Amino acid sequence: MRRLRLALWALVGLVAAGMAAFIVTSKPPAPRMETRPADDYASTIGGPFTLVDSAGEPFSSTRLAGRPYAIFFGFTHCPDVCPTTLARLVGMREELGADSFDIVFVSVDPARDGPEEIGKYGKLFETPIIGLTGSQVQIDKVKKQFGVFSEKVGTAENYNVDHTASVFLMDVNGQFVATIAPEESRETALAKLRRIAG
Amino acid sequence: MIHRLSLRQVLTLGSALLLAACAPQKPAAEPVVEDAWARSTVEGQKMAAAYFTLRNEGETELKLTGVSTNRAGSASLHRSAVDNGVATMRPLEGGLLIEPGETIAFEPGGDHVMLEMLEKPLVEGETFPMTLEFAAAAPITLEVKIVGAGER
Ligand SMILES: [Cu+2]
């Protein structure tokens, strides 16, 4: 009798252990950590660059030192996403104050966007926008620094360019702080801009 | 097995068909377009986008099939999307269905009319005509208002 009871208890123990093991192993994977980039990732975004401004002169990133800025990569022929992103930044800067941050627009389509094109395009928004272009080598380098992707779509003269949709926010020291994605709400975007506008 | 219809069945079927044929037609799809606008462009900029809202006030499905304007070399229904952090843009193949009572927005960063081969820039304050075409409703021509690029 006693033996039987022991055996039964042993069985109960086994089943319990099995269940525990099952629960532990079948636990869903932990959710991925949200948006705040890891420090090592953050520190790899940005860095010194030299491009060409709308006057056709070399433009060194040191010119941006001491000013927070929002930098966006696109192309002047872009009909929807680029003007939408720039108009949004313009609107948010109106809210935060004209001196709150600079807006920098870098062309990923230097074949069509020369200094003149980038200059005229920037003026369209009736508020200062620092439009930059450069040689393909210069553009490729800065794209790499910011982890920006772009790719020509179509071969016709009126080709389109797929490109990274996010805006990068840099603080007064030129350090990367956050990105703004197009799908983020205005409130979220403003909160992030306030972090650099200081 | 051959089944012969009785006279009664034939009559019933016949009157049913007659009724269906004579019944008042279902009210058609009825497109209503509002707030058509586009951003200004600069000299040399060949592409732009136009936006509007479209409501189907009819009682049948409405299908937007195309768009045209003489203001650009080509106009088409287009969609922007963000795919893995990358902004892309593709034609809206096959048009767009709008259910009865539904309103759809052609808006920045989403569906838009893609204007290509612009001959001259879109100037703030001006308007231009654009025609929306539908599968089972008369086309609608509307005036697109050009606003400053940074305005909205
Ligand atoms: Cu488009």
Side-chain angles (χ1 to χ4, degrees), chain A residues 79-81 160, chain B residues 47-49 76-80 88-91 110 112-116:
Chain A
D80 182 40
V81 168
N160 183 44
Chain B
M47 296 193 272
S76 58
L77 304 175
H78 239 228
R79 174 170 289 174
S80 294
T88 65
M89 207 170 42
R90 300 289 180 268
H112 57 275
V113 173
M114 177 83 151
L115 305 170
E116 290 171 89

Side-chain angles (χ1 to χ4, degrees), chain A residues 18-160:
Chain A
M19 277 170 70
F22 177 77
I23 288 163
V24 168
T25 52
S26 64
K27 205 174 88 179
R32 260 190 60 215
M33 290 304 286
E34 256 314 285
T35 50
R36 211 194 100 99
D39 287 341
D40 54 342
Y41 167 71
S43 65
T44 63
I45 290 192
F49 58 80
T50 299
L51 291 167
V52 174
D53 68 14
S54 58
E57 300 295 328
F59 184 98
S60 160
S61 54
T62 56
R63 298 253 299 270
L64 297 165
R67 305 264 306 156
Y69 62 97
I71 185 168
F72 180 64
F73 296 77
F75 62 113
T76 68
H77 289 272
C78 176
D80 182 40
V81 168
C82 306
T84 297
T85 304
L86 289 172
R88 197 172 178 223
L89 286 173
V90 166
M92 291 191 291
R93 186 166 65 182
E94 266 164 26
E95 180 158 342
L96 296 180
D99 284 333
S100 52
F101 62 94
D102 286 339
I103 299 173
V104 182
F105 179 68
V106 180
S107 176
V108 292
D109 185 21
R112 285 188 299 192
D113 292 339
E116 196 192 329
E117 285 77 20
I118 206 90
K120 274 195 297 195
Y121 184 71
K123 288 204 183 79
L124 194 54
F125 295 86
E126 292 171 341
T127 180
I129 288 179
I130 301 170
L132 300 174
T133 183
S135 67
Q136 191 63 57
V137 172
Q138 287 174 313
I139 297 296
D140 286 344
K141 183 171 175 253
V142 75
K143 274 169 60 184
K144 206 170 167 189
Q145 285 174 304
F146 284 85
V148 165
F149 168 88
S150 75
E151 186 178 57
K152 248 169 94 164
V153 179
T155 48
E157 183 200 346
N158 291 308
Y159 60 86
N160 183 44

Side-chain angles (χ1 to χ4, degrees), chain B residues 38-149:
Chain B
R39 292 196 178 98
S40 58
T41 64
V42 284
E43 193 77 51
Q45 205 181 326
K46 296 283 184 213
M47 296 193 272
Y51 311 102
F52 55 86
T53 60
L54 171 59
R55 192 167 63 255
N56 178 6
E57 290 194 345
E59 292 181 19
T60 58
E61 219 172 47
L62 176 68
K63 189 176 187 188
L64 176 64
T65 53
V67 60
S68 65
T69 175
N70 56 17
R71 191 64 179 75
S74 110
S76 58
L77 304 175
H78 239 228
R79 174 170 289 174
S80 294
V82 176
D83 184 12
N84 253 325
V86 175
T88 65
M89 207 170 42
R90 300 289 180 268
L92 262 174
E93 310 273 10
L96 207 60
L97 276 181
I98 304 112
E99 299 295 327
E102 191 189 0
T103 302
I104 57 162
F106 272 56
E107 59 190 356
D111 293 344
H112 57 275
V113 173
M114 177 83 151
L115 305 170
E116 290 171 89
M117 293 179 272
L118 286 176
E119 298 254 302
K120 50 192 176 111
L122 302 179
V123 179
E124 181 179 352
E126 292 183 0
T127 65
F128 63 90
M130 184 169 83
T131 303
L132 300 183
E133 291 138 21
F134 303 95
I140 293 184
T141 297
L142 41 108
E143 284 295 313
V144 181
K145 191 180 170 212
I146 304 169
V147 306

